Amino acid sequence: MTDATAPCASARLYSQTEHDDRGNFHYEGDLYRAGEALPSLASRIERHLAQHFAESTFAIRTEKFSGGRKVIAEILDAPTDLTGRDAQNAFIVEVRDQMERFGSTRTNPLQDFWSCSFYCEVRIAQAYWSALAKRSGSRNPVDTVISLAAFKKRIKAGDQLKLIDAPAGHRLLGTTREITKVRSGDLILEGRSYLSFPRASAFACDGRLIRIAIGSEYGPDDHLLYEWIRLNAA
């Protein structure tokens, strides 16, 4: 296969680059460094996104696999309302364009050929929906008196959790279940069920009530509200 070299490729963004008549696609970003190690690449992308999208917050993760490597940018907060699918797609493309400036891609789908310095992915994290709900006014707010790390140390087998609020139709709403085991990543509850610990940003506990944000584009303020009934409570 012969790649068509796009003149002044670095002057265009990834989403603005077209395939030629033979199906060849070539993009090399203006911030690309050949042979750059993944930690260095991720660090540069993280700093760049923080500067370019000054009012937004991102978490950068990396993955390595047999077919290559990937940099994932999770959107934690942004001033833009991303509830609508068009708004989501537009912002994701905008973020990805900035990430792709650090890479190089050659591809031809007609010949099933793809070569890139790294794969790029942008996700809207659950934390974004929690932040959006807070700006809009969250239901059942709970003060963060006990951090998630402290909660993991204090909760123990024998304690109970009563689900007192949840999205409509939740089958366990109103039930009280005993904790049978506490593990590093979750709680095992009676009835062969478990409750995974969320990210710290999605967790709030005032010592009695526990609020776990599970919002999405379909319900930014969706959450689980538990009453924590301790075994040694008076």
Side-chain angles (χ1 to χ4, degrees), residues 135-199:
R135 288 196 295 272
S136 303
S138 298
R139 187 166 54 88
N140 296 325
V142 174
D143 293 332
T144 305
V145 177
I146 300 175
S147 68
L148 178 59
F151 174 76
K152 290 180 179 180
K153 295 178 180 179
R154 296 186 190 184
I155 196 164
K156 57 183 179 297
D159 289 356
Q160 296 179 327
L161 293 178
K162 180 179 181 180
L163 185 59
I164 58 179
D165 202 359
H170 198 293
R171 64 185 181 86
L172 295 176
L173 184 61
T175 62
T176 301
R177 291 176 293 167
E178 183 175 321
I179 298 168
T180 61
K181 189 174 183 180
V182 179
R183 303 191 297 190
S184 60
D186 57 24
L187 302 173
I188 304 299
L189 306 172
E190 62 179 327
R192 296 183 179 180
S193 61
Y194 67 93
L195 177 65
S196 297
F197 290 124
R199 284 188 171 184

Side-chain angles (χ1 to χ4, degrees), residues 31-48 60 62 64 69 71 102 118:
L31 301 176
Y32 170 63
R33 294 178 184 174
E36 184 173 18
L38 187 57
S40 172
L41 173 65
S43 179
R44 288 205 301 135
I45 290 176
E46 184 173 29
R47 291 195 301 270
H48 177 74
I60 302 298
T62 61
K64 283 187 176 182
R69 56 190 191 164
V71 178
F102 293 81
F118 71 95

